[in-house]
């Protein structure tokens, strides 16, 4: 049970590490220190330099080695500072232009993290090798270390070339909407795959069962929900659990996050285990919250159509990616089907909820631009042609508002 208790928190910590700028640079710096110790030990082996390295690498005295290492270290750390400044400028620009909720997408960019880490690792390796150089009677030059330093410097040069290309790519509006759109579709497909594997059990609470509501001791947004923990607890204790709040919802210590239908009362240990299935934080995340990705695309639409930007083409591009995800929710492997009867019951995201969070939420902004409204209407009609049943009714409700135009729309 202790493993179960730490699962949601562990996933939250891993996500925070992934979105930080310190994790990969720290790993690469520690790796550089380990590599420096190994290379220095290799250099200390008798006859290594004379036997394996070419003469042009070993024809350098301690003073020359110091000058070379110090020059390379100064250059690398200077470029690393410039790279960090470029990153902050790019993140600031993206937050102002596309919305502050998109900062996490830039923080998660692995290319930026590893590029910065490679330059810091090269700097640390150079400093370690500089420390190993000794002059005087016991002169020692780490020729292998100097060779590795030259190689790492060459890698750093190509890293700089990659980074200069990569930064403009990360703030390209088409790439940002594309990344969000692919993630939107991937999350929907993941939900469909997960629900296809769930064994629906026709379980009803026992006649003598009573409802026990559970709250969380913390306040904030639910960032992780460990479904395995809840299911294991329900099976072990013969409970039926109704989850009221899902990932992305804001909760307080007075919010009922779930209800347990049980014959026997819950003890403190059981309540603590149920609470441990939730991990909260200060902001919403895209993890287990598909609607949050739709919110980000809608925010891009709102900013693109604001008077300060007036960019209908970006708005239409975001609508295209929302449309692609909604098509997956309708058609991929039978579509996004609700689950009604389970031992653990969740407020499942269905097509209607995703449509409301995307196409319906974008309506107030697309109505202000004729091109966007026409494009919005065309995509909605295409969805309507492919939908059936209740999904068709949900889509059809939006079409009259799109056809009416801003003058006839009732606010």
């Amino acid at each position: 049970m202790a493993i179960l208790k730490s699962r949601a928190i562990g996933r939250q910590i891993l996500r925070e590490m992934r979105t930080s700028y310190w994790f990969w640079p720290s790993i690469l710096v520690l790796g550089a220190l380990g590599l420096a110790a190994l290379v220095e030990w290799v250099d200390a082996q008798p006859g290594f330099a004379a036997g394996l390295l070419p003469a042009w690498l070993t024809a350098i005295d301690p003073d020359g080695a110091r000058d070379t290492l110090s020059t390379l270290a100064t250059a690398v750390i200077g470029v690393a500072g410039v790279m960090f400044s470029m990153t902050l400028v790019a993140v600031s620009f993206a937050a102002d232009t596309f919305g502050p909720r998109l900062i996490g997408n830039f923080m998660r960019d692995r290319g930026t993290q590893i590029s910065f880490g490679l330059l810091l690792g090269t700097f640390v390796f150079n400093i370690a090798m500089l420390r190993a150089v000794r002059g005087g009677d016991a002169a020692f030059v780490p020729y292998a270390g100097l060779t590795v330093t030259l190689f790492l410097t060459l890698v750093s040069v190509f890293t700089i070339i990659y980074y200069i290309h990569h930064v403009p790519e990360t703030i390209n509006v088409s790439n940002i909407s594309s990344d969000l759109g692919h993630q939107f579709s991937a999350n929907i497909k993941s939900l469909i795959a997960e629900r296809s594997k769930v064994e629906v059990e026709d379980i009803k609470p026992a006649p003598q069962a009573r409802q026990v509501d559970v709250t969380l001791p913390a306040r904030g947004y639910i960032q992780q929900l460990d479904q395995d923990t809840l299911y294991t607890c329900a099976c072990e204790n013969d409970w039926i659990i109704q989850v009221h709040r899902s990932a992305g919802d804001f909760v307080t210590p007075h919010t009922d996050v779930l209800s347990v239908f049980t014959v026997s009362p819950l003890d403190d240990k059981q309540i603590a285990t149920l609470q441990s299935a939730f991990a909260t934080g200060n902001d919403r995340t895209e993890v287990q919250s598909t609607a949050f990705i739709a919110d980000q695309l809608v925010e891009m639409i709102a900013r693109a159509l604001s008077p300060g930007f007036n960019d209908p083409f970006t708005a239409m591009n975001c609508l295209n990616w929302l449309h692609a995800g909604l098509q997956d929710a309708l058609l991929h492997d039978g579509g996004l089907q609700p689950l009604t009867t389970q031992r653990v019951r969740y407020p499942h995201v269905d097509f209607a909820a995703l449509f409301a969070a995307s196409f319906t939420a974008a309506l107030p902004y697309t109505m202000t631009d004729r091109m966007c409204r026409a494009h919005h209407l065309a995509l909605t009609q295409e969805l309507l042609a492919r939908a059936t049943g209740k999904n068709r009714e949900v889509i059809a409700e939006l079409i009259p508002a799109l056809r009416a135009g801003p003058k006839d729309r009732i606010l």
Side-chain angles (χ1 to χ4, degrees):
M1 191 64 69
I3 296 176
L4 291 177
K5 287 183 179 181
S6 61
R7 188 177 295 164
I9 300 297
R11 290 175 181 172
Q12 184 186 36
I13 292 173
L14 288 175
R15 187 199 70 83
E16 291 176 352
M17 290 169 58
R18 183 170 177 255
T19 59
S20 68
Y21 275 156
W22 61 264
F23 178 69
W24 277 106
S26 298
I27 292 295
L28 291 172
V29 166
L30 293 175
L33 289 173
L35 179 62
L38 175 62
V39 170
E40 188 175 348
W41 176 83
V42 171
D43 263 315
Q45 304 307 305
F48 171 78
L52 295 178
L53 298 178
W56 65 272
L57 281 175
T58 58
I60 185 171
D61 57 13
D63 291 336
R66 287 195 188 96
D67 292 340
T68 301
L69 290 171
S70 60
T71 300
L72 294 177
T74 302
V76 168
I77 196 62
V79 173
V82 173
M83 287 175 57
F84 186 69
S85 300
M86 290 175 61
T87 301
L88 292 181
V89 170
V91 170
S92 176
F93 170 81
D96 292 339
T97 306
F98 308 119
R101 289 188 293 183
L102 290 172
I103 291 179
N105 298 299
F106 296 94
M107 297 288 287
R108 283 191 301 273
D109 184 70
R110 192 66 55 82
T112 300
Q113 296 172 2
I114 293 181
S115 296
F116 193 50
L118 282 173
L119 265 70
L120 291 181
T122 300
F123 169 75
V124 169
F125 185 88
N126 285 2
I127 296 300
M129 290 299 100
L130 186 61
R131 178 200 58 81
V133 177
R134 297 190 298 271
D137 296 334
F140 175 75
V141 177
Y143 294 110
L146 191 58
T147 304
V148 174
T149 296
L150 294 174
F151 172 76
L152 291 177
T153 303
L154 182 63
V155 171
S156 298
V157 170
F158 283 103
T159 300
I160 296 167
I161 296 172
Y162 162 78
Y163 186 78
I164 292 174
H165 166 78
H166 182 67
V167 169
E169 288 289 311
T170 59
I171 60 176
N172 183 295
V173 64
S174 297
N175 291 336
I176 295 172
S177 59
S178 172
D179 290 342
L180 289 172
H182 284 299
Q183 193 172 4
F184 186 51
S185 293
N187 279 26
I188 291 173
K189 291 178 180 178
S190 178
L191 285 174
I192 294 173
E194 289 175 3
R195 294 183 189 182
S196 66
K197 299 176 183 178
V198 174
E199 296 182 5
V200 178
E201 305 169 272
D202 190 7
I203 300 175
K204 298 180 180 179
Q208 66 274 26
R210 60 175 180 170
Q211 178 179 331
V212 179
D213 297 325
V214 177
T215 62
L216 299 181
R219 54 177 52 85
Y221 291 95
I222 298 176
Q223 294 183 342
Q224 292 282 344
L225 175 56
D226 187 0
Q227 299 179 4
D228 293 337
T229 295
L230 296 179
Y231 185 77
T232 300
C233 291
C235 292
E236 289 179 351
N237 299 280
D238 195 23
W239 293 339
I240 292 179
I241 299 177
Q242 176 65 58
V243 180
H244 304 301
R245 304 289 181 174
S246 56
D249 291 339
F250 188 86
V251 296
T252 70
H254 307 287
T255 304
D256 295 332
V257 294
L258 60 83
S259 297
V260 179
F261 295 90
T262 175
V263 176
S264 57
L266 274 62
D267 57 34
D268 293 340
K269 183 177 180 181
Q270 290 172 327
I271 293 176
T273 302
L274 292 171
Q275 291 173 335
S276 70
F278 297 83
T280 59
N282 295 329
D283 56 354
R284 294 175 67 192
T285 70
E286 75 289 344
V287 179
Q288 298 180 331
S289 181
T290 308
F292 179 63
I293 305 174
D295 289 344
Q296 291 177 304
L297 284 167
V298 171
E299 183 175 0
M300 289 185 65
I301 293 173
R303 287 177 175 267
L305 296 177
S306 64
F309 290 96
N310 192 24
D311 182 9
F313 297 100
T314 294
M316 289 190 289
N317 189 32
C318 293
L319 285 172
N320 289 336
W321 287 109
L322 288 171
H323 174 255
L326 292 175
Q327 279 189 323
D328 288 328
L330 279 176
L331 306 172
H332 180 75
D333 287 346
L336 192 59
Q337 302 297 331
L339 296 175
T340 54
T341 307
Q342 297 172 273
R343 183 173 287 278
V344 182
R345 302 167 185 178
Y346 301 94
H348 289 300
V349 175
D350 57 6
F351 176 83
L354 291 178
F355 188 82
S358 54
F359 267 37
T360 303
L363 177 64
Y365 312 109
T366 59
M367 293 291 285
T368 61
D369 185 90
R370 181 177 297 179
M371 291 175 57
C372 287
R373 182 165 63 89
H375 190 64
H376 197 170
L377 177 61
L379 295 178
T380 305
Q381 289 175 328
E382 185 176 343
L383 287 174
L384 182 65
R386 294 175 175 270
T388 58
K390 293 183 178 180
N391 292 338
R392 184 177 179 85
E393 296 174 5
V394 169
I395 299 171
E397 291 178 358
L398 184 63
I399 291 181
L402 287 169
R403 285 176 173 168
K407 292 183 180 180
D408 301 325
R409 181 167 55 95
I410 298 176
L411 296 176

